[in-house]
Amino acid sequence: MMKSRYNIAIYILVIFLSLSAGFQQSPCQTNSTVYKIQIASSTRQIPTEQIQRELSVNDLVTVHFLNKRYKYCVGSYASFEEAQKNLANVPVRGAFVVRIPGSAAQELIGDARPKTTEKISTISPNQAIQPATIEEYKTEKVFALQLAASRVFIDPKTFTSKFSLTEEVRYFQKDGWYKYVIGRFATADEAARRMSQLSFPVFVTSYVEKTPVKKAPPKVQETQEKDDTTKASADTVPPEFDTIRPNLPKGDLKELYNLKIKEADNAYNQLQNLNLARKYYREATLLDPDKNYPKDQIIEIDRQLASKQTRPIYKNINTAVFATIGFILVMVIVLIITLILRTRRQKLSRQKQKLREEYQDSITEYLFNEGTGQPENLREADSQRKKQILIDEIMQLYANLSGEISNKLRELYLDLGLDNESVQKTKSPQWHVRAKGFRELAQMNIQTVNDQIELCLNSTNDILRMEAQLAMVRLNFEEPFSFLNKLEQPFTSWEQLHVYEMIQRYQIAVPEFSFWLSSRNETIVVFAIRMIRAFKQDNAFAMLIPFLKHENYEIREETYMTLGDLGNPQALSLLQERFGYESQPGRLQILRAIGKIPDESNVEFLRGVLEPSSELRLEAADALARIESFGVKGIETILKRSDEDLQAVARHILDNKIHR
Amino acid sequence: MGVFQALQVIFQYLILGITLSIIVAYLSLAIVSAVNLRRYLRMNSFVDYNSILTCPFVPSISILAPAYNEGKTIIENVRALLSLYYSDFEVIVINDGSKDDTLEKVIKEYDLELVSYFFEYKIPTQDIRGIYKSTNKSFANLLVIDKNNGGKADSLNAGINLAKGKLFVAIDVDSIIESDALLKMVKPFLQQRDKRVIATGGVIRVVNDCIVESGQVSKINLPKKFLPRVQVLEYTRSFLMGRMAWSKLDGLLLISGALGLFEREIVIACGGYFSKTVGEDMEIVVRMRRYMVERNEPYEIAYVPDPLCWTEVPEDTVILGRQRNRWTRGMIDTLNVHRAIFFNKKYGRFGTLGYPYWFFFEWFVHVIEVVGILYFLLIIMFGKPNWEFFGIMFALVYSFAVGLSVWAILFEELTYHKYERRRDVLILVITALLEPVFYHPLILYWAVRGNLDYLSGNRRWGEMVRKGFGAMRAFLRSL
């Protein structure tokens, strides 16, 4: 009924539907686009703690690498509006809302690159921390002295040390060049004057400098707008640390502060609105920067907020894309391989068929037409493959031939040097090649590498071991079964039946198998008993008796069957004696064995088995029916008894239509 | 809001975990199976099954063929069974109270007569009305049992009661058994060493649109219709990848009812087939395994990756739906009855790997799927689905699913290459491309129906059996 339940793989399909759906709504997920507030950017990564310290930011600062710059952001919001609302809480001037697409949402760990631990104060601000770009500028043409220019970025500090400068080295980008300059002059003349004082070559240059005129209402900036921040790199906008403090008398400030703290505590404890509480604490710190309580609270709230923030499940959607492409690629490759293999297989099989027919014709003509010389085309079988086809063909024919013709075929095999092929195989490191070699040598009766074969008699590889056994039975003329003396591995029924078949097929002289009854390998004992039974070796009778009490059931069972088949009445009393000690299957075998030796002395015993209600009755009745003195008449008397079951047994025995 | 979000997160993690584990599990199974299939084929190239035929000490086999309303095909089927290659076997046809002329036809064709056959209800079953044997000596190994209707499991139990073989084969009478199937299946029993082999299963293939002559498949064709063709893929994945790997991992929980070889003594000892479940083929394997573990006896369930049996798969949705619904109920029932195995170390890999795999990937996955779909619908209705993300994820899963099928096609090509025409490979690949979209939703629907039917108590267990239930419960209690 249930043929297959393995609806493999396809299940996942719809699972993923739900998976993809599941990713949508959580505002904290960063696998899709989020909005953050950018507070700074840099070309080299700077630890976020440093950013926090320098910009007096208490919020958790995250770093994203976008457009070749490190962007330092706070907060994470699902919508632009939400981010915009929270912008007011960020104490960095010029901060703005930025869209972080899913592909860049992966947050860089602050200390990922320990080499950038240099102090921020020693880095020129325009290179190090770039506070957020401000939208409205006052533009002004400025003159300066250019020291150097380069296609790649060079740390301006290197010029400071190189020229032993006291002045600050700035740089700006123009036409793909980084230009390094000193000084700031309103006119070209002023610049020229300064140039004349210097001991190294510089020249006057000018550029347009943008300076923010007011704190513009921040707008969202698509980070994709390339280099919006780098363009402004020459705009010396140092981070202005927030010092908004209402100009109020001290007493009022304190009162305001207390009020704020109260509001904040209320939001924190009663409303449990962390964002609101954080806002109030923040305002309180502005009112009284010396108090530690609100700062501590902010840190605590940030900690709580950060722990609530879910870690992204899929940090990078690219993984999925790559995996998909990978699966499709594998699929296509597998398909191509399949088709190539198929074509190749079909081609090879056609070739093989053709060769086989060709070889077969040549061989039969050679064998059966007197006077035909050895066929030339067989000698031309030069490749490994052709030789194998030839060997297989010869082997198949050889198995079906006998007498002189088969000798002629064997000679052909030797003449063609195919025995060398077979011998070579026995030296291969690959087990299946060796096993094939054993088989060929055994069949063609080549004894040259018997030692090699004997080495594999105890191999743990089932096939190799069995092929070695069979080869030895065939090739060891003096003692074909001596391998049994060396065999330590279990001698499975599978191997046994092949050896038995070998004996039959090649009419190998059978030894007295009772010799191996003393083997320590119990599976060999089983084999010996089976062979005694198969070849009716009556001499072994006495030696079998001890095995009636063997602890291994399989050996006992084989002994019962063999004693039954040997038909020696001396076994009867011993079998009857064993009956009491056996369980159901053993008892059944004993009854069958006894049934095979119809003898007067059984009647009493069998009647005893017949009496109690048991499923062994049929077997017992059958055994009784075979005893002449009891026979059918005895069974018929049972029919007259009242026991219904027993009557059924009797009817079964008497029913001639049941061929038992 | 907080609770909702937390639930959402947990849900996402759950789904992600299951999905990844399914991908990993399937890929690992495919690899394990590839390695072992290669080894098997290489070893098998040395095997000559004909040696078994001449051997006097191979175990005797009883073939049990339950038949219910099989009048149209019974004659041919029995003939095919009688002509299987084996030296010591009997065929027992069990007429399970057919309402058609199944019995009459067999009686007439094979010259049967009622006999006074003695047997005992070792395993309780429905009443046996009569036992028939042939007067023709060429059919001496045919036995026909006529009994009251009780379902397949009940019929098999009746067959077991009468069987004489050390081993028995349970088959679907309408499936076509390869003539050397018995030889191939008995081999693991002959090869057993330190572990007792208690059952063997083999590969079932789809026979639709193939040409069958005198009970054997003479020409193999790919089914013309989509529905059976997609089942070809399913069966290939299942038998060549899944079960092959599980047999190596010692986690095989199911031997198809269409063909399986069992040790009779053990089946009797653990109470026979459970006639009250619709998934008796899975249940018996699980119970036999439990029995062996309880007895502390090392054992093995063997698997032969050769195609041994051909079966007609449903071609229309109504019958296929019924079949899948039944499979689902049968599976749940077995998992439920034997829930004690779940992650139970005592049962080895069977308990820690095989059972949990079935639990999660064959059953629980339905639940997840349904919840996922509902969740997805909610998002479409009330939220903002991220279609871009959805598209990529869909592509990922789709390509994985199709990729796995193509891999299975390669397996088939490397092993038994039964479909000869080059076009067949391409047709199968196209089928694989369509399967996730057109076939899978149906499978899910039927599985859901199966779950609901099971929950609502509609387990469609046949009529009450005369004595059956007590022995079974007693066995389960004793564990």
Side-chain angles (χ1 to χ4, degrees):
Chain A
M1 272 167 151
M2 224 180 298
K3 283 151 199 157
S4 154
R5 236 199 253 91
Y6 204 80
N7 292 311
I8 206 165
I10 317 301
Y11 284 120
I12 332 160
L13 245 180
V14 186
I15 292 183
F16 255 124
L17 299 189
S18 59
L19 173 70
S20 51
F23 278 155
Q24 311 319 310
Q25 288 191 324
S26 171
C28 300
Q29 295 303 327
T30 51
N31 57 299
S32 53
T33 300
V34 291
Y35 294 88
K36 294 193 171 196
I37 298 168
Q38 182 175 331
I39 53 170
S41 77
S42 69
T43 50
R44 285 189 299 164
Q45 197 181 357
I46 295 159
T48 49
E49 301 80 44
Q50 200 174 343
I51 301 281
Q52 276 178 316
R53 205 167 50 238
E54 294 289 337
L55 298 181
S56 303
V57 179
N58 287 325
D59 303 74
L60 189 74
V61 175
T62 58
V63 196
H64 304 273
F65 191 66
L66 257 179
N67 298 333
K68 298 180 186 169
R69 291 188 75 87
Y70 294 94
K71 318 256 167 173
Y72 303 90
C73 302
V74 291
S76 179
Y77 310 94
S79 70
F80 171 68
E81 290 76 19
E82 208 183 324
Q84 186 77 344
K85 247 184 268 168
N86 284 282
L87 183 60
N89 299 332
V90 178
V92 181
R93 209 174 137 189
F96 57 88
V97 174
V98 60
R99 192 174 80 97
I100 308 278
S103 59
Q106 183 174 10
E107 182 192 324
L108 301 173
I109 305 304
D111 307 320
R113 300 184 197 175
K115 61 179 178 184
T116 58
T117 51
E118 53 199 293
K119 281 225 166 81
I120 198 162
S121 54
T122 62
I123 305 171
S124 174
N126 50 9
Q127 183 264 325
I129 303 179
Q130 291 247 332
T133 320
I134 289 167
E135 284 299 290
E136 288 179 28
Y137 301 95
K138 182 180 82 184
T139 55
E140 186 185 359
K141 192 175 181 182
V142 184
F143 291 90
L145 297 176
Q146 185 170 334
L147 286 169
S150 72
R151 282 284 185 193
V152 292
F153 178 75
I154 299 165
D155 190 341
K157 270 196 302 176
T158 50
F159 297 106
T160 319
S161 51
K162 188 176 173 186
F163 297 107
S164 314
L165 289 170
T166 49
E167 287 156 287
E168 179 199 53
V169 180
R170 304 188 309 279
Y171 75 93
F172 62 93
Q173 273 183 294
K174 200 177 177 187
D175 309 328
W177 288 85
Y178 290 93
K179 308 202 170 184
Y180 302 91
V181 295
I182 49 171
R184 178 196 298 272
F185 311 99
T187 63
D189 288 347
E190 269 181 62
R193 264 202 298 280
R194 175 75 180 111
M195 183 170 75
S196 61
Q197 295 161 3
L198 295 172
S199 56
F200 45 85
V202 290
F203 60 87
V204 176
T205 185
S206 70
Y207 64 95
V208 176
E209 186 177 85
K210 289 193 271 183
T211 36
V213 286
K214 59 174 181 178
K215 186 173 180 181
K219 284 181 184 169
V220 69
Q221 292 198 349
E222 292 283 334
T223 45
Q224 277 86 345
E225 283 173 20
K226 199 159 162 67
D227 275 343
D228 54 351
T229 46
T230 37
K231 267 184 214 154
S233 57
D235 311 338
T236 50
V237 190
E240 282 185 44
F241 301 123
D242 205 341
T243 50
I244 310 163
R245 205 194 293 195
N247 206 2
L248 286 171
K250 269 216 163 154
D252 288 354
L253 263 177
K254 188 153 191 182
E255 206 170 297
L256 265 177
Y257 170 82
N258 288 338
L259 214 65
K260 265 293 168 227
I261 291 291
K262 214 173 157 189
E263 272 183 287
D265 284 347
N266 186 46
Y268 183 66
N269 295 320
Q270 307 300 319
L271 305 175
Q272 298 198 335
N273 183 340
L274 293 179
N275 283 324
L276 190 66
R278 193 184 184 288
K279 187 178 170 218
Y280 291 152
Y281 283 127
R282 180 78 222 163
E283 284 169 15
T285 56
L286 298 178
L287 291 166
D288 191 347
D290 303 329
K291 286 280 195 311
N292 281 331
Y293 172 71
K295 290 178 188 164
D296 292 345
Q297 283 296 90
I298 286 171
I299 291 169
E300 173 59 20
I301 288 172
D302 281 346
R303 200 187 56 75
Q304 288 182 21
L305 284 173
S307 70
K308 271 193 173 181
Q309 203 160 11
T310 29
R311 286 182 63 79
I313 288 182
Y314 251 22
K315 285 188 173 171
N316 201 333
I317 201 166
N318 286 340
T319 318
V321 177
F322 286 135
T324 308
I325 294 171
F327 285 137
I328 292 172
L329 265 180
V330 168
M331 190 177 84
V332 171
I333 291 170
V334 164
L335 185 61
I336 292 170
I337 292 175
T338 309
L339 290 174
I340 291 175
L341 282 176
R342 156 166 294 227
T343 315
R344 195 167 146 249
R345 179 174 55 78
Q346 286 174 340
K347 194 177 142 202
L348 285 178
S349 126
R350 272 197 303 272
Q351 279 179 0
K352 190 176 174 180
Q353 190 52 35
K354 204 178 142 215
L355 277 173
R356 281 188 60 183
E357 283 167 13
E358 196 182 302
Y359 292 156
Q360 206 172 4
D361 290 348
S362 307
I363 296 170
T364 43
E365 195 177 325
Y366 167 70
L367 289 181
F368 296 104
N369 286 352
E370 287 291 324
T372 317
Q374 285 189 358
E376 275 310 303
N377 63 336
L378 301 187
R379 293 206 176 276
E380 283 160 16
D382 43 3
S383 72
Q384 202 76 19
R385 210 176 127 254
K386 285 182 179 171
K387 279 182 182 166
Q388 191 54 54
I389 294 172
L390 184 53
I391 292 177
D392 289 345
E393 206 52 43
I394 290 179
M395 296 239 299
Q396 205 185 341
L397 272 172
Y398 193 76
N400 297 316
L401 293 173
S402 60
E404 213 163 294
I405 296 278
S406 77
N407 289 338
K408 200 173 171 187
L409 184 59
R410 185 165 179 269
E411 271 164 34
L412 179 68
Y413 171 79
L414 294 172
D415 285 349
L416 292 172
L418 296 176
D419 55 329
N420 290 334
E421 288 294 312
S422 305
V423 167
Q424 278 307 315
K425 283 185 197 146
T426 63
K427 290 165 188 161
S428 165
Q430 286 176 292
W431 68 265
H432 62 277
V433 180
R434 257 184 294 164
K436 196 147 176 59
F438 293 173
R439 180 171 278 201
E440 288 167 9
L441 292 174
Q443 188 160 359
M444 300 311 294
N445 216 340
I446 312 287
Q447 291 155 300
T448 47
V449 283
N450 281 10
D451 302 347
Q452 194 83 19
I453 300 174
E454 256 180 59
L455 291 178
C456 294
L457 279 175
N458 272 314
S459 164
T460 47
N461 183 311
D462 292 346
I463 298 289
L464 195 58
R465 192 175 64 248
M466 191 170 97
E467 290 299 328
Q469 289 165 7
L470 296 176
M472 290 321 289
V473 172
R474 175 96 167 105
L475 298 177
N476 189 342
F477 286 161
E478 286 86 43
E479 293 177 278
F481 297 94
S482 62
F483 78 91
L484 289 175
N485 306 335
K486 293 168 193 159
L487 189 62
E488 283 157 17
Q489 297 278 336
F491 192 37
T492 63
S493 295
W494 180 246
E495 292 158 14
Q496 293 177 21
L497 72 88
H498 278 88
V499 170
Y500 176 76
E501 199 222 354
M502 203 84 173
I503 298 172
Q504 302 281 44
R505 193 198 294 173
Y506 296 108
Q507 296 178 342
I508 289 166
V510 188
E512 287 291 339
F513 281 103
S514 54
F515 177 77
W516 287 281
L517 286 177
S518 54
S519 172
R520 271 178 302 161
N521 186 337
E522 290 186 352
T523 53
I524 292 179
V525 176
V526 169
F527 175 69
I529 300 175
R530 280 175 176 170
M531 291 300 106
I532 289 169
R533 179 174 161 218
F535 295 103
K536 291 234 182 269
Q537 297 187 332
D538 295 309
N539 305 342
F541 177 79
M543 294 176 77
L544 281 174
I545 305 304
F547 292 98
L548 285 171
K549 291 178 182 171
H550 200 281
E551 56 182 14
N552 181 337
Y553 172 71
E554 206 184 348
I555 290 182
R556 288 202 307 274
E557 189 185 31
E558 289 297 333
T559 311
Y560 299 145
M561 290 195 286
T562 306
L563 288 177
D565 278 1
L566 291 182
N568 189 334
Q570 287 174 18
L572 289 173
S573 58
L574 298 165
L575 287 168
Q576 290 171 15
E577 192 188 314
R578 281 300 305 161
F579 190 82
Y581 298 100
E582 278 294 352
S583 58
Q584 200 78 345
R587 289 180 171 188
L588 204 65
Q589 291 302 338
I590 290 176
L591 285 175
R592 281 183 187 157
I594 289 177
K596 284 178 183 169
I597 316 171
D599 192 277
E600 202 73 28
S601 61
N602 288 333
V603 176
E604 199 64 24
F605 168 75
L606 289 172
R607 289 189 77 119
V609 180
L610 214 52
E611 289 304 330
S613 168
S614 97
E615 56 181 304
L616 297 169
R617 306 172 138 191
L618 188 63
E619 216 58 58
D622 189 45
L624 277 171
R626 292 170 196 232
I627 301 168
E628 237 172 280
S629 63
F630 191 85
V632 177
K633 276 192 183 153
I635 299 293
E636 275 169 348
T637 56
I638 292 175
L639 262 181
K640 292 170 192 146
R641 292 219 214 142
S642 55
D643 185 339
E644 252 183 60
D645 267 8
L646 212 51
Q647 283 184 15
V649 169
R651 275 199 299 273
H652 179 112
I653 300 295
L654 295 174
D655 194 334
N656 290 326
K657 287 170 282 187
I658 302 172
H659 309 283
R660 300 194 73 244
Chain B
M1 192 63 185
V3 177
F4 178 70
Q5 276 180 7
L7 282 178
Q8 216 179 9
V9 170
I10 291 169
F11 183 71
Q12 288 166 12
Y13 268 107
L14 184 75
I15 284 184
L16 183 73
I18 290 177
T19 310
L20 289 181
S21 51
I22 287 182
I23 290 187
V24 170
Y26 285 177
L27 286 179
S28 339
L29 287 179
I31 290 166
V32 170
S33 138
V35 170
N36 285 293
L37 207 52
R38 186 184 140 88
R39 189 173 165 78
Y40 175 83
L41 287 175
R42 185 162 274 175
M43 292 200 128
N44 219 37
S45 68
F46 286 91
V47 174
D48 177 13
Y49 288 102
N50 290 330
S51 306
I52 301 177
L53 289 175
T54 55
C55 179
F57 47 85
V58 290
S60 52
I61 297 180
S62 302
I63 300 172
L64 309 183
Y68 179 70
N69 294 348
E70 303 280 353
K72 281 181 193 161
T73 53
I74 190 75
I75 303 292
E76 274 299 299
N77 292 333
V78 172
R79 194 180 306 283
L81 292 178
L82 287 169
S83 50
L84 291 180
Y85 301 155
Y86 200 69
S87 50
D88 184 6
F89 77 106
E90 60 176 348
V91 176
I92 301 179
V93 177
I94 305 115
N95 177 42
D96 190 26
S98 295
K99 296 194 175 92
D100 69 352
D101 56 352
T102 305
L103 184 66
E104 290 71 26
K105 277 191 164 172
V106 185
I107 289 176
K108 189 160 172 274
E109 178 70 23
Y110 295 100
D111 310 322
L112 299 182
E113 280 186 12
L114 206 58
V115 292
S116 318
Y117 207 93
F118 175 76
F119 69 95
E120 285 172 302
Y121 287 98
K122 283 177 226 163
I123 306 166
T125 68
Q126 292 285 358
D127 280 333
I128 290 176
R129 301 190 285 224
I131 295 160
Y132 297 82
K133 286 214 75 169
S134 176
T135 52
N136 186 338
K137 283 206 171 178
S138 12
F139 307 129
N141 58 345
L142 175 65
L143 190 71
V144 176
I145 302 172
D146 181 32
K147 65 182 272 291
N148 289 337
N149 182 271
K152 188 182 176 191
D154 190 67
S155 305
L156 287 170
N157 285 339
I160 292 168
N161 285 338
L162 268 90
K164 290 267 178 285
K166 185 174 163 60
L167 309 175
F168 75 85
V169 173
I171 64 158
D172 276 345
V173 79
D174 57 346
S175 51
I176 294 161
I177 316 286
E178 288 275 326
S179 45
D180 56 359
L182 295 182
L183 302 175
K184 287 181 172 168
M185 288 173 86
V186 84
K187 184 172 162 252
F189 283 89
L190 297 169
Q191 282 180 306
Q192 73 180 20
R193 291 161 64 116
D194 38 1
K195 282 182 185 170
R196 182 166 174 183
V197 176
I198 57 170
T200 315
V203 176
I204 317 292
R205 300 190 64 109
V206 175
V207 77
N208 302 43
D209 287 322
C210 293
I211 297 170
V212 179
E213 279 169 342
S214 49
Q216 289 294 310
V217 178
S218 59
K219 177 146 182 24
I220 298 159
N221 293 318
L222 200 58
K224 293 189 185 87
K225 288 188 187 166
F226 174 73
L227 219 48
R229 204 164 59 228
V230 80
Q231 290 176 75
V232 168
L233 275 182
E234 246 186 329
Y235 278 46
T236 310
R237 283 195 307 257
S238 165
F239 287 100
L240 283 187
M241 288 166 102
R243 292 200 196 172
M244 182 68 212
W246 278 119
S247 78
K248 273 297 142 198
L249 300 173
D250 190 27
L252 211 56
L253 257 66
L254 168 66
I255 288 176
S256 295
L259 182 67
L261 181 61
F262 302 86
E263 190 171 333
R264 192 168 66 97
E265 189 190 314
I266 292 177
V267 173
I268 292 175
C270 55
Y273 281 92
F274 190 15
S275 53
K276 299 203 154 207
T277 183
V278 287
E280 80 290 332
D281 50 358
M282 180 175 176
E283 203 278 333
I284 190 72
V285 176
V286 175
R287 192 142 40 87
M288 284 171 82
R289 299 189 76 131
R290 274 187 91 170
Y291 175 79
M292 294 307 282
V293 173
E294 297 301 332
R295 291 199 358 167
N296 236 339
E297 200 175 333
Y299 72 97
E300 190 184 333
I301 306 268
Y303 179 75
V304 180
D306 290 308
L308 302 179
C309 171
W310 298 78
T311 190
E312 183 102 20
V313 297
E315 294 208 343
D316 69 76
T317 46
V318 178
I319 298 173
L320 184 64
R322 247 184 253 151
Q323 181 197 49
R324 296 309 162 100
N325 182 317
R326 196 174 62 235
W327 287 4
T328 307
R329 281 180 286 131
M331 173 182 68
I332 303 174
D333 207 25
T334 303
L335 292 176
N336 185 25
V337 169
H338 296 284
R339 55 187 177 272
I341 301 166
F342 194 53
F343 281 124
N344 192 336
K345 274 190 198 156
K346 188 166 84 174
Y347 296 97
R349 268 188 288 195
F350 159 54
T352 53
L353 215 63
Y355 184 102
Y357 174 86
W358 275 75
F359 182 84
F360 286 115
F361 294 155
E362 300 280 344
W363 174 72
F364 188 61
V365 84
H366 299 318
V367 181
I368 292 286
E369 247 187 295
V370 172
V371 173
I373 290 170
L374 294 178
Y375 184 60
F376 184 51
L377 291 177
L378 275 178
I379 299 263
I380 290 180
M381 281 190 279
F382 302 111
K384 284 184 287 180
N386 181 346
W387 290 107
E388 182 193 358
F389 188 73
F390 165 79
I392 288 167
M393 282 301 164
F394 189 91
L396 172 73
V397 177
Y398 179 78
S399 58
F400 175 73
V402 177
L404 204 67
S405 287
V406 173
W407 195 347
I409 297 170
L410 175 71
F411 269 40
E412 155 69 17
E413 181 56 33
L414 286 175
T415 54
Y416 302 105
H417 37 80
K418 290 285 184 188
Y419 299 110
E420 272 304 320
R421 297 176 309 172
R422 179 189 290 226
R423 214 175 58 188
D424 289 343
V425 171
L426 295 175
I427 293 175
L428 274 177
V429 171
I430 292 168
T431 311
L433 288 167
L434 299 177
E435 179 184 4
V437 188
F438 296 105
Y439 184 66
H440 178 67
L442 291 173
I443 293 292
L444 177 68
Y445 171 72
W446 292 321
V448 170
R449 286 294 301 271
N451 271 278
L452 295 177
D453 285 355
Y454 185 81
L455 282 179
S456 65
N458 172 16
R459 299 170 195 189
R460 241 177 271 168
W461 284 343
E463 300 150 38
M464 283 302 287
V465 182
R466 198 163 55 111
K467 312 166 190 169
F469 214 39
M472 179 69 54
R473 284 287 173 230
F475 169 76
L476 289 172
R477 266 202 306 274
S478 74
L479 290 177

